[in-house]
Amino acid sequence: MMPAATTVEGVVHRVPYLRTAARNPTFSSRGSASIRFRALSFSASAASPPSTVVDEQKLGPGSLGHITRPDFPILHQEVNGSKLVYLDNAATSQKPTDVLKALQAYYEGYNSNVHRGIHYLSAKATDEYELARRKVAAFINASESKEIVFTRNATEAINLVAYTWGLSNLKPGDEVIVTIAEHHSAIVPWQLIAQKTGVILKFVSLTDNEVPDIMELKETLSRKTKLLCVHHVSNMLASLLPIEEIISWAHDVGAKVLVDACQSVPHMVVDVKSLDADFLVASSHKMCGPTGIGFLYGKSELLTAMPPFLGGGEMIADVYLDHSTYAEPPSRFEAGTPAIGEAIGLGAAIDYLSQIGMQRIHDYEVELGHYLYDSLHSVPSVRIYGPAPSQTVKRAALCSFNVEDVHPTDIATFLDQQHGVAIRSGHHCAQPLHRCLGISASARASLHFYNTKEDVDHFIDALKDTISFFSSYK
C-alpha cells in the first residue's frame, strides 16, 4: 500500500453568506446558509506533470462536443445565474433528444406490459423491449441476446451474480479477489457472501503511481481463486486496467471474472468476446440512457447453470403448490414487470451512441481528458489523484482532486452557486480507496463527449476564483 499522501484535519469554521458577501463582492448573498471551511493539508507528494501533447485543434469549433451539444436540451440553461457547465458525468450522463422522444413515444403510443399479452400494444411493447436487448448484445458484441439480463442498475447486476453464482459455487476457503479501488457495489456484495459462505476476500492495493497493482493482482491469483471482480476504468483514479490480460491470468488458474464496465462501456469500444469476460455489468444512466435500468452480460453456459435471483411472475416455467420450475435465461432473472420504457430508452441511447461511433467518442474524450488534466495540473495548490497521462498511460476523461486547505464540498458548493459548474464531491462510493490515499473525500470533474474545451476553460477559471475566495480567509 502506498504511503498516505494527505491528511484531513477536523477543523470546521462557519461564515454566514451575508458576511461573506460583504467581504467578497463576487460572492452574492443567498440567505442565511453558511459555507463550511475544512482545512486540508498536503504532503510534498503530488501528481506528476503530464507528458502528452494536446491537439487543441481537435477541441475547437466543429469538435464532437460542439456538434453533439445541441442534442442535449438540459445543457442549454442557466443555473444560479450562470450558464450550466455539467462536469458530473461519471455520476450520471445527460440524455439526448432521441432518448427523450423514445420514452415519450412508448408512454404515449404503446404503453403495455410485455410478454403476457396478445393485443397490439402488448405485442409492440414486447417487440421493442426485446429489440433493446438485442441492441445491448450487439453493442458489446455478445454472442446472443439471451446473454443479456436487464437489471435495475449495475449494482443489482453484481448482486445477482453474487447471490446466484456466488452462493452456488463458493465454499469455505475459496478466494474472491477485488482491488482496493473498486466501487462499493463491487465490494459490499462479496463481503455479504463471505459472511454466508466463509469465502476469503482478498484486496489488491495501489502502486506508487496510484493505480491498482496488477503485478500484485497476478501474484495473488491462485487455484483457490474462484472469482476476480474488477473495474475496467476507475471512477476515481481514472486509470484504465489491461482487462483482457487480467482476464487471461484469472482463467489460467480456473477463476471466473466479473468486469465492472460502468465507466468504460459509455466511453469506448467494449467487446466481451474479445475480452473473454465471464460476467460484465453496466448502467444505462451513464451511457445517455434512462435511470432505473442496467444490464448483466453473462456467458450462456454460466447463466443457464445459475438459480433464480428473485421469485415471482415471468421467471417461471410452471408453478405448482409444492414446487416451481424456472424459465431459461434471461427470463429466469427478470422476475415481475420489467422497466419497459427504460429498456426502450436504453435502446435509443445505444442507437445514438452507435451513430456517432464509440471509437470516435473515445478518441475525442482522450484529447479532452488530457486537456482537463493539463489545465487542472497548472492550477497551484491542486493535487490530482491517479496516474499522469503519457504516451503509454491512458486516463479516462475525469480528474479527482483536492485543493490545499479547502474541503472538496466547499469547492463544489462555490462552483455551483457562483459559477453554475456542476462537479461531484465526496468519497464517490470508494471509501477504501480514499483511506488508502489518506483522505476522506475528493472533488471530481468528469467529462463526456458533449463537453467542450470551453467547458473545461470555464471550470478552471471558476476553480481559480474559488481558490482565491477561500484563500482570503487564511
Side-chain angles (χ1 to χ4, degrees):
M1 183 179 297
M2 62 172 292
T6 66
T7 59
V8 179
E9 299 174 0
V11 180
V12 180
H13 304 285
R14 296 190 179 275
V15 181
Y17 279 17
L18 290 171
R19 178 178 154 201
T20 302
R23 294 189 57 179
N24 189 330
T26 65
F27 188 67
S28 60
S29 171
R30 300 189 188 277
S32 59
S34 62
I35 292 183
R36 294 159 296 171
F37 285 48
R38 300 181 185 85
L40 284 166
S41 61
F42 291 79
S43 72
S45 175
S48 303
S51 57
T52 58
V53 177
V54 176
D55 186 352
E56 293 194 24
Q57 287 188 340
K58 295 181 180 178
L59 304 180
S63 74
L64 183 58
H66 291 91
I67 293 170
T68 58
R69 188 177 179 83
D71 297 335
F72 294 83
I74 198 171
L75 299 178
H76 306 282
Q77 64 174 296
E78 288 192 353
V79 172
N80 294 321
S82 300
K83 185 186 91 170
L84 171 64
V85 175
Y86 184 79
L87 302 180
D88 194 21
N89 293 284
T92 199
S93 63
Q94 299 303 341
K95 321 307 173 193
T97 302
D98 286 359
V99 171
L100 304 179
K101 287 181 177 179
L103 288 168
Q104 184 177 12
Y106 165 69
Y107 284 111
E108 286 186 350
Y110 56 101
N111 174 46
S112 186
N113 215 327
V114 293
H115 299 143
R116 296 188 289 273
I118 60 171
H119 57 80
Y120 171 82
L121 295 183
S122 180
K124 183 169 177 58
T126 299
D127 288 346
E128 294 297 321
Y129 179 77
E130 291 301 333
L131 176 60
R133 194 191 308 276
R134 293 195 294 275
K135 289 177 181 178
V136 173
F139 193 67
I140 62 171
N141 198 31
S143 295
E144 49 191 343
S145 63
K146 71 177 185 179
E147 293 181 320
I148 304 301
V149 178
F150 284 132
T151 60
R152 286 188 303 130
N153 44 44
T155 298
E156 184 176 79
I158 294 173
N159 276 271
L160 191 160
V161 175
Y163 282 90
T164 57
W165 183 90
L167 289 181
S168 299
N169 289 276
L170 299 175
K171 61 184 185 299
D174 288 342
E175 295 176 357
V176 171
I177 298 176
V178 297
T179 80
I180 205 166
E182 299 308 316
H183 190 281
H184 293 164
S185 62
I187 295 176
V188 177
W190 301 112
Q191 291 175 334
L192 296 172
I193 295 302
Q195 293 170 7
K196 293 177 180 293
T197 64
V199 70
I200 299 169
L201 196 55
K202 290 196 167 185
F203 289 89
V204 175
S205 61
L206 303 183
T207 68
D208 290 340
N209 293 325
E210 297 178 351
V211 297
D213 191 335
I214 62 169
M215 288 299 101
E216 179 187 331
L217 188 157
K218 186 176 183 181
E219 293 170 1
T220 305
L221 288 164
S222 73
R223 289 293 173 184
K224 293 183 179 180
T225 308
K226 301 306 176 185
L227 181 80
L228 169 63
C229 184
V230 64
H231 63 272
H232 193 179
V233 172
S234 170
N235 76 320
M236 194 268 180
L237 301 172
S239 51
L240 172 67
L241 295 183
I243 198 69
E244 186 171 358
E245 189 174 12
I246 289 171
I247 290 172
S248 178
W249 295 341
H251 286 172
D252 285 345
V253 299
K256 305 301 182 189
V257 182
L258 190 163
V259 180
D260 175 358
C262 287
Q263 300 293 340
S264 58
V265 165
H267 303 283
M268 63 184 68
V269 176
V270 174
D271 184 330
V272 293
K273 282 196 286 192
S274 176
L275 295 177
D276 197 21
D278 300 295
F279 303 103
L280 181 141
V281 303
S283 279
S284 163
H285 72 94
K286 287 184 169 68
M287 49 193 294
C288 299
T291 57
I293 190 166
F295 65 86
L296 164 69
Y297 159 80
K299 288 181 176 177
S300 182
E301 63 271 21
L302 294 175
L303 294 179
T304 299
M306 286 158 50
F309 179 40
L310 299 173
E314 192 65 31
M315 48 74 65
I316 52 86
D318 291 292
V319 177
Y320 303 92
L321 294 182
D322 59 346
H323 74 284
S324 297
T325 58
Y326 308 118
E328 292 298 310
S331 296
R332 183 184 302 171
F333 307 108
E334 295 181 8
T337 297
I340 305 166
E342 288 81 356
I344 293 167
L346 171 57
I350 287 174
D351 288 342
Y352 180 82
L353 295 174
S354 299
Q355 288 169 6
I356 299 170
M358 292 310 298
Q359 190 60 52
R360 184 183 180 191
I361 287 173
H362 178 63
D363 292 345
Y364 174 71
E365 289 187 6
V366 167
E367 290 291 332
L368 192 62
H370 286 175
Y371 183 72
L372 170 65
Y373 186 97
D374 292 357
S375 301
L376 191 57
H377 190 272
S378 69
V379 180
S381 303
V382 168
R383 164 76 155 87
I384 306 174
Y385 301 100
S390 68
Q391 296 302 318
T392 57
V393 177
K394 305 302 180 185
R395 278 183 64 101
L398 66 89
C399 286
S400 297
F401 65 96
N402 271 314
V403 176
E404 187 174 4
D405 294 329
V406 187
H407 193 276
T409 298
D410 297 331
I411 295 169
T413 300
F414 194 93
L415 286 172
D416 172 61
Q417 295 189 356
Q418 295 304 305
H419 297 280
V421 176
I423 67 167
R424 181 75 35 169
S425 64
H427 53 64
H428 317 307
C429 292
Q431 287 181 319
L433 174 57
H434 278 74
R435 291 193 189 100
C436 179
L437 294 168
I439 56 177
S440 61
S442 62
R444 183 183 67 193
S446 51
L447 309 173
H448 216 333
F449 61 87
Y450 45 72
N451 285 120
T452 64
K453 175 179 178 291
E454 288 78 12
D455 287 339
V456 175
D457 292 340
H458 188 100
F459 161 62
I460 296 299
D461 289 343
L463 180 62
K464 290 177 179 177
D465 180 60
T466 303
I467 295 171
S468 175
F469 170 79
F470 285 103
S471 296
S472 69
Y473 285 91
K474 291 183 180 179

